[in-house]
Amino acid sequence: MRILLVEDDNMIGAAVSVALKDAAYAVDWVKDGITAVGVLKNGEHQAVLLDLGLPGRDGLEVLRRLRLDGNTIPVIVITARDGVKDRIEGLDFGADDYLVKPFDINELLARLRAVIRRQGGQAAPLLGNGRVTLDPANHRAQCGDTAVILSAREFALLHALLLRPGAILARAELEERIYGWNEEVESNAVDFLIHGIRKKLGADAIKNVRGAGWMVEKSA
Ligand code: CA
């Protein structure tokens, strides 16, 4: 799961980046609105954390542009503006949620999980396909009687697959969801992670579709 963080405050941006990475998200961080609009055109990210007071182009302007372009990516606005009017404006401009600074990082993570699962069409907190279940709040995965805690990247990979059971994700698509711009990706990293997950949950937890990629089966 790859997040775009748009924040011009270095201290807040660094703290949020670290917390997101610790929670197994890949994070790309930009510091102004114009760069954010450009980056979001690439469709690499699954959610946006958007500050409102930004140099170049205001966060509300970024949000308006995004929705005018038909982009439905989940957006959580994070801002020091706590006036009711600002909050209403943010939501009316197409934000999915709103957090006022200073905020508790755990609340941010919980809100992020909520907007991401709703984007995937799921209201329930657990992801699953009838065989494997995954709890994004604690990275606990279960397959039959076997319950394990996945590593951050194993979680990120299984999460990407379980958001769309039945869909095949190619190596490049998985890498894109697991790694940010400035992270080195080793050529066999995905195989290594798949191997680790299968070892923990059983070989049939993830299906290899030869030449195409990997999937988790859709429940019958
Ligand atoms: Ca700011």
Side-chain angles (χ1 to χ4, degrees):
M1 191 63 43
R2 191 155 165 195
I3 310 296
L4 183 69
L5 170 64
V6 190
E7 170 63 78
D8 62 321
D9 183 296
N10 281 324
M11 263 174 57
I12 295 173
V16 171
S17 285
V18 167
L20 289 174
K21 283 178 187 162
D22 283 350
Y25 293 101
V27 187
D28 298 315
W29 176 13
V30 299
K31 299 182 180 179
D32 69 89
I34 292 166
T35 308
V37 169
V39 166
L40 285 165
K41 285 200 170 90
N42 301 334
E44 294 170 295
H45 299 90
Q46 283 77 52
V48 186
L49 300 176
L50 180 64
D51 180 29
L52 289 190
L54 290 169
R57 190 173 287 177
D58 186 85
L60 280 180
E61 200 43 47
V62 172
L63 188 54
R64 203 174 65 87
R65 184 74 260 162
L66 199 60
R67 296 314 188 210
L68 277 176
D69 290 344
N71 192 327
T72 60
I73 189 169
V75 176
I76 299 179
V77 161
I78 46 173
T79 179
R81 301 179 190 174
D82 61 351
V84 174
K85 182 175 167 290
D86 287 322
R87 264 180 280 171
I88 292 170
E89 211 168 35
L91 292 167
D92 279 346
F93 271 50
D96 296 271
D97 207 345
Y98 206 108
L99 264 176
V100 176
K101 293 172 190 169
F103 52 83
D104 184 300
I105 199 76
N106 290 313
E107 181 177 359
L108 172 64
L109 293 173
R111 287 177 185 268
L112 193 52
R113 288 193 293 272
V115 297
I116 287 168
R117 71 174 177 254
R118 272 188 251 125
Q119 172 78 352
Q122 302 222 17
L126 291 181
L127 284 171
N129 69 337
R131 182 195 294 262
V132 180
T133 55
L134 184 65
D135 187 345
N138 55 20
H139 300 181
R140 188 172 181 275
Q142 184 150 4
C143 187
D145 293 332
T146 310
V148 293
I149 302 291
L150 298 177
S151 75
R153 289 205 160 129
E154 287 170 351
F155 165 78
L157 190 153
L158 188 58
H159 189 239
L161 291 172
L162 277 173
L163 277 176
R164 289 167 62 211
I168 299 167
L169 291 184
R171 180 184 304 277
E173 292 171 295
L174 287 169
E175 286 173 352
E176 188 180 288
R177 282 167 177 74
I178 300 170
Y179 298 94
W181 290 323
N182 43 16
E183 290 177 280
E184 183 107 11
V185 186
E186 300 207 19
S187 62
N188 61 351
V190 168
D191 306 85
F192 190 73
L193 292 170
I194 300 263
H195 178 75
I197 296 169
R198 283 182 170 152
K199 214 168 154 190
K200 288 179 180 174
L201 291 175
D204 51 3
I206 296 175
K207 200 174 157 190
N208 181 13
V209 184
R210 205 163 288 280
W214 293 269
M215 63 179 276
V216 294
E217 277 171 309
K218 208 168 180 163
S219 53

